[in-house]
Structure formats: C-alpha cells, structure tokens
Amino acid sequence: MRLSLRSESNTQFMMLRGWFGGLLLAWIVSAAPAIAQDSQDDGEDLLDEAIQLQLEADTPRDYDKIADLCEEAIDAGLSDESTATAKQMWASACLEYAQSHAERVFSTPQDPRWQFLRQQALKRLEKAVELNPQMAEAHLAIAQYNLLPGGDRMAAEAAIAVALENLDDDPSRHAMAIVLRAQTTEDLDKKLEDLGKALEIDPANSMALNLRGNIYLEQGKTEEAIADFRTLAEAEGNNPLILVLLAEKLVEGEKYDEALQVIDQALEVKSDLAPALLIRARAHLGLDKDEEAIEDVSRVLELEPRNLDALRLRANARYSLKKYDEALKDVEKILAFDPQNGNVILLRAFVYTAMEKYDPAIEDMEMLVAGNPDDPQLKNTLAMIYNSAKRPRRAIGIYNELLGDDPRDASALRGRGDAQLSMGEHKLAIEDYESALKLDEEDDGVLNNLAWVLATSTFDELRDGKRALELALKAAELTDHKEAHVLSTLAAAYAENGDFENAVKWSEKSVEIAEPGRQSEDLNKELETFRSGKPVRERETVEEETDEDDEGDKPADDDGKGDEGGGDEGGGNEGGTAD
C-alpha cells in the first residue's frame, strides 16, 4: 500500500485554499463598506453582487459566476479603486475554481474526467495570473496541475520560479514550492537537495518526507527511508494509512517484527483496515508464519472478496505450507478475474509441479516463455520442470540455449548438471557443477550435488572422497545442518572416506529430520548401508519417453550406452543404493 503523491498534492491544495480563503474573506469584509458607499451605477452594483456571492460560494459554478460578475462590472465602469478590487476578486475566483477540482484530480483513484477538469482549471489559473502576475498561490497551482502525467514540465518550472519570487515568509508554502521544484527534475542529487531544503524549512512536510523516503528506498538506504516514514507517521498524528505506509517500508527493509508493532497501532485505530491486514500478512510471511498470514488474508477477503493481492498472498502461503489443492483454488480465482497475470500463472506452474502434475505445469511455462522469449529465468524454470518430469534431454536442450547466450549463467550450469546426473552422465555433471561453483562458491545446492556424485558415483575414476567431504561440510554449514538430503550427502562423503562412525551419525540425523514418505524410506536404506560398513553407490537411469524433438539433445553416456533417465528437481541426492 503506497500513499499516493496525488493525495499529498491534494492536501497541499487544501492548505492553500484554507489560508487564501480566510485572507480573502477578511479583506472583503473590511472593504465592503467603502465599496457600498459608491454603488450607484451598474458597475458598482455588479461588484456588490460578486462580493455577496463570494461570501457564500462553494461550487465551481459559483466561482465562474463571480468571475463573470467582476468582468461585467469592469466593463460597465468602475472607479480605479473598485477596478483593482474587481480584478483581485476575479483572479481569486479563478484560483478557487481550480482548487475546487483538486480533490477529483489529485486523489486516488482519480475522477475519470480528470484530464478535462485539469484543462478547465489551468484555463482559469492562466487568467488569474494574467490579472495578478504576483499571485503566488495561482502559480503554485499551475505547477501542480502541470506536474501530473501529460502536463507541461517547463510551464511548471516557470510557475514555481515566479511563485518563489512572490511568496511571503510562511514556511509551509515556501517548503511546498521547493517540493514541487524537486519534482521537476530527474536528477536524484538535485531532487534530494531540494527535499532537504524543504524539510529544513518545514520538518513535518508530508510530501517531502514521502518523496525522500521513497528515493532512499530506491537507493538501498533502508534506514534513512524508514526514519523519514517514521517522522511522516508522527507528523500525521498516527493516521492509520500513514502507519500502514511505514509498516510497508519496514517490511521492504525486512524489519518484520517492527512492522508488526506499527501495524498493530494502525489496527487499534481501525480494526478492519484491509491494507493494514495485508501488510501484516506480508510481515508474517517474512517470519515464516504462514498460518498467521493466511488468517490475516482471509479476514481481508471477508471484507473484499475480490481483492486479488489478498488471494495471491494466500495462494503463496498455502503453497509454502504444501496445501496445494487450496493454493490452486486461490490461483484459479485470481485468473478468473485476471487471466493474463503472468506471476500467477507462474505460481500455478509451481503448484502443479509440486503436485507432480507435470503436463499442465509445462503447458503454463511454455506459454509464459512464448510470451517472454528473452527471459532467462522463465526458461530456467521450464527446464527445471522438464527435469522434474523425467525429461532431462528436453531440459538440457533449453540449458544449452541459455548457456549459448550466457556461458556464465550459473543457474543453467547447475540445472544442466542436475539433468546430466539424472541421466547417469556423471562426468558431464561434474564438469557443469565445477563451472557453476566457480561462479558462486556458496551455492549450497551445487556444493551438495557435486559432493554427492563425487562420493557415490559408480565410476571409480570420478570419485574423490576428500573433495566430497570438503564440499559436503560446507553445504551442511550453509544450510545450518537442517536439510535432510544435505546431511545424507555428508554421511555418504564420510563413508567414502572409510569413516563409518560419522557416516552413521549424520545419516541418523538426516533420518530424524526427513519428511515422511519416499525421502524417509530412502534415507533409512542408506543408514542400513552405512551400518553394514558399506559406502553408497548410485547411478540413476530412469527411462524417458523419446520423441523427435529430444533426439538432437541426447548426449553420449560415459560408458557409451547412452542410458536415459530422469532426475529429481535440484538433483543429486534423494537416497542411494549400496553396491
């Protein structure tokens, strides 16, 4: 949830309107008796009518009527003093007209007719500065309207310059002019300089704090950004929407606990505030509290059943909890409203893959790749799913294409290594893993898979127990000794070095934390192998259906037999068998 800059601009418009309206009313009341004394002719009568209407005016039509009366009064004939009064009122009515459209033009969402309304407002403002060239507030309004998309940036700059020359000493209006000037440049240093000046003049200027905070975020200056948003929240008197904005920045800075504290403040003010509940859900996801995230998002969906952001967050949380059927239901709800949403289609592909429904997963990914042919991440994902679907040759074809474009694509090297390993091509797999490791020495997946093949390969000349143990120890450290398949690799490396005491120790730990089902069964078989004093030897060769498109990607086997097989996603170690 982002606080709209248009909302900020509207706030500034209202501030100017309140200030100028009060000043004008005081002036009119003091001037009225003198004008009334000389109201015999038609011009003075028309001016009197304009003055009376000004005291009650509150619609654009009223302000246009005041302008018309002032123009008619001048045409009918007035004294010099009354002419000056009429021109001032005419200019003021034009400004009031422009400000009366501010909420519809600058708020979020905008009025569908906002461009027409802006055109009408600018027409009146140009008349206002023609009548009173020193009218600073009108020049500032011209700048604000022109800073909207499709506006005249040069006209905005010129208007701001005139305004700064004619503003009085009021700090809030001076600061506002400088904030507007900051928005006319793309130079971040100049923009930050102006925003800093504005905040020196008016430390609580909400627009300046918002703009500078977002720039700091873009620059990766998270602490500075959060400091600005904290000040903004304080300046706005703990407005719940501002608190949500602060919490959003804390989440972006991965300060999830602090974000939860701020969101709780916002929800104390308004317990059913959907943006606050969504941000709290994101903070819970960041803390791996998926159930709490789902609870928050479900509350949002009770308030707003078609909130697609809420559905997407819940789908992700359910996917993380392996509640695949429920995640798929949320995904389908989103796609019913937004069938071309690429991110959601990608999530559906992951859900299908986790459910081992590879055909629809591949269909989704092929569609995404066709629409984004230059996106290497999508191609990598498609290849990964091919590998999971026991179609490693298709995967290798995509990885070869990716590496032809970028030989330093570490993900493609690791993926191709996994595919080679699943086909029993140990030598080729080792070469790819070694190349990937040179690009990223702390990729625990590459470390694990390379260690596994070096410890368990059926090719004597490829095994290297010492290096396998070195790599496995590093992979276990990087994963905090919490991944069952990594501890299995560590056990296999110890066994290859003849240290069966440690092999059994780490194999037992891997069994303790293994997921029920196939992984647990395979790891228990490994444990029995180590207890019998034998190392693990594995060469996976799973049959793969052949079609014409696959033939050109078929590599030669190490022993010349060209065995075909599939590999698990991530490759390398989901359990081994003894020689």
Side-chain angles (χ1 to χ4, degrees):
M1 151 51 185
R2 291 186 183 275
L3 184 67
S4 168
L5 296 184
R6 290 173 185 152
S7 297
E8 293 285 4
S9 298
N10 188 38
T11 300
Q12 298 288 358
F13 250 124
M14 296 301 105
M15 289 170 57
L16 281 175
R17 183 175 184 178
W19 169 82
F20 192 78
L23 180 63
L24 180 63
L25 180 61
W27 178 86
I28 290 170
V29 171
S30 65
I35 296 171
Q37 292 176 5
D38 191 23
S39 60
Q40 301 304 310
D41 58 35
D42 292 343
E44 297 293 348
D45 288 342
L46 289 166
L47 183 56
D48 278 345
E49 187 179 347
I51 290 171
Q52 287 302 122
L53 181 56
Q54 174 67 50
L55 296 172
E56 303 171 356
D58 63 358
T59 69
R61 182 172 296 180
D62 290 339
Y63 301 128
D64 268 349
K65 180 62 175 175
I66 292 167
D68 290 342
L69 287 168
C70 290
E71 184 177 14
E72 291 172 14
I74 292 171
D75 290 343
L78 292 170
S79 66
D80 290 345
E81 182 179 357
S82 294
T83 297
T85 299
K87 287 184 176 181
Q88 184 64 37
M89 286 189 61
W90 187 356
S92 301
C94 290
L95 175 61
E96 290 281 3
Y97 178 97
Q99 291 172 332
S100 70
H101 284 321
E103 185 172 356
R104 297 167 69 185
V105 174
F106 290 90
S107 62
T108 301
Q110 289 172 298
D111 188 296
R113 299 170 64 244
W114 74 268
Q115 291 177 313
F116 171 76
L117 296 175
R118 172 174 66 178
Q119 182 183 18
Q120 295 302 308
L122 283 171
K123 180 180 177 181
R124 270 70 169 186
L125 290 168
E126 287 163 4
K127 186 63 180 179
V129 298
E130 177 188 330
L131 292 163
N132 183 358
Q134 285 77 45
M135 196 176 198
E137 288 71 25
H139 286 290
L140 288 179
I142 288 171
Q144 284 181 292
Y145 275 110
N146 274 305
L147 285 171
L148 289 171
D152 186 335
R153 185 62 60 92
M154 293 182 66
E157 292 176 1
I160 292 166
V162 176
L164 286 169
E165 291 176 1
N166 292 281
L167 278 171
D168 58 22
D169 294 331
D170 184 280
S172 62
R173 288 192 297 281
H174 193 191
M176 176 190 171
I178 296 175
V179 171
L180 292 176
R181 187 174 68 186
Q183 294 177 69
T184 66
T185 179
E186 299 300 323
D187 186 316
L188 287 184
D189 290 334
K190 289 182 179 178
K191 195 183 291 284
L192 285 172
E193 183 181 354
D194 267 345
L195 294 174
K197 287 178 181 177
L199 289 167
E200 287 177 11
I201 298 168
D202 180 12
N205 186 288
S206 57
M207 185 185 290
L209 289 165
N210 192 355
L211 286 171
R212 191 172 71 174
N214 278 298
I215 292 172
Y216 281 149
L217 277 180
E218 291 172 8
Q219 295 180 328
K221 298 178 179 178
T222 306
E223 294 296 333
E224 292 90 335
I226 289 172
D228 274 349
F229 289 115
R230 283 194 188 282
T231 304
L232 176 60
E234 293 168 4
E236 293 292 326
N238 287 336
N239 179 317
L241 290 178
I242 303 298
L243 290 171
V244 170
L245 179 63
L246 171 58
E248 181 184 34
K249 306 312 172 186
L250 289 166
V251 168
E252 290 173 5
E254 299 184 2
K255 296 179 179 293
Y256 303 118
D257 289 318
E258 292 180 50
L260 289 175
Q261 293 175 7
V262 172
I263 283 297
D264 286 343
Q265 286 181 258
L267 291 172
E268 285 176 10
V269 179
K270 186 172 176 58
S271 61
D272 60 350
L273 187 61
L277 292 167
L278 276 177
I279 293 297
R280 189 166 72 178
R282 287 176 55 194
H284 280 141
L285 286 175
L287 293 168
D288 294 325
K289 296 180 178 180
D290 297 308
E291 294 288 3
E292 289 89 338
I294 290 173
E295 182 179 346
D296 279 335
V297 171
S298 296
R299 283 184 61 193
V300 173
L301 290 168
E302 289 174 6
L303 300 167
E304 302 175 4
R306 294 189 178 185
N307 190 312
L308 301 189
D309 285 337
L311 283 167
R312 181 180 53 79
L313 279 175
R314 190 169 70 179
N316 275 293
R318 286 172 164 174
Y319 171 69
S320 296
L321 290 170
K322 300 185 178 180
K323 297 181 178 181
Y324 302 128
D325 288 327
E326 294 179 27
L328 196 57
K329 288 178 182 178
D330 282 339
V331 165
E332 296 300 347
K333 286 179 183 178
I334 299 170
L335 293 175
F337 294 109
D338 186 9
Q340 302 303 316
N341 190 314
N343 289 329
V344 178
I345 293 171
L346 179 62
L347 175 58
R348 184 171 67 180
F350 282 125
V351 174
Y352 280 140
T353 300
M355 298 171 77
E356 298 186 0
K357 296 182 177 181
Y358 298 115
D359 287 343
I362 289 170
E363 183 179 346
D364 276 344
M365 288 310 307
E366 287 181 336
M367 177 176 64
L368 290 174
V369 169
N372 303 272
D374 297 325
D375 189 324
Q377 291 184 334
L378 291 177
K379 290 182 178 179
N380 257 306
T381 302
L382 174 58
M384 177 197 73
I385 295 175
Y386 271 133
N387 206 29
S388 297
K390 310 300 183 186
R391 300 177 69 181
R393 288 204 305 276
R394 278 291 183 91
I396 289 171
I398 296 174
Y399 289 131
N400 285 342
E401 179 184 340
L402 287 167
L403 290 166
D405 294 335
D406 179 10
R408 294 178 59 81
D409 186 334
S411 295
L413 284 166
R414 183 260 171 94
R416 190 171 68 178
D418 292 344
Q420 303 283 15
L421 185 61
S422 71
M423 295 177 68
E425 300 285 349
H426 291 185
K427 182 178 180 181
L428 295 176
I430 290 171
E431 289 174 359
D432 278 339
Y433 290 145
E434 292 285 12
S435 296
L437 203 58
K438 290 177 182 177
L439 297 172
D440 184 357
E441 296 180 352
E442 296 198 344
D443 185 324
D444 57 87
V446 175
L447 288 164
N448 176 76
N449 292 359
L450 179 55
W452 176 258
V453 69
L454 291 176
T456 67
S457 175
T458 55
F459 299 101
D460 295 342
E461 70 276 14
L462 296 180
R463 288 197 308 278
D464 184 340
K466 182 179 179 181
R467 179 153 167 73
L469 182 58
E470 174 189 334
L471 297 170
L473 285 168
K474 188 171 183 179
E477 182 182 352
L478 288 170
T479 54
D480 296 323
H481 299 85
K482 294 180 179 179
E483 296 290 342
H485 69 284
V486 175
L487 298 186
S488 165
T489 298
L490 181 58
Y494 273 119
E496 176 61 17
N497 284 280
D499 186 347
F500 288 99
E501 181 179 350
N502 270 312
V504 170
K505 169 187 169 183
W506 290 107
S507 184
E508 287 175 343
K509 289 185 181 295
S510 74
V511 170
E512 287 175 12
I513 62 176
E515 294 181 4
R518 176 185 168 187
Q519 185 186 51
S520 180
E521 292 172 5
D522 288 341
L523 295 181
N524 268 300
K525 289 179 183 178
E526 283 182 18
L527 177 57
E528 292 306 313
T529 299
F530 298 140
R531 282 174 174 167
S532 67
K534 296 180 180 179
V536 168
R537 295 288 177 265
E538 180 184 76
R539 184 179 185 223
E540 187 177 11
T541 53
V542 178
E543 289 298 322
E544 175 183 13
E545 287 188 13
T546 302
D547 59 35
E548 292 180 0
D549 290 334
D550 287 338
E551 290 299 326
D553 297 325
K554 183 177 179 180
D557 190 24
D558 285 334
D559 60 7
K561 295 179 180 179
D563 292 40
E564 300 173 12
D568 295 306
E569 180 184 340
N573 186 11
E574 292 293 338
T577 56
D579 252 349

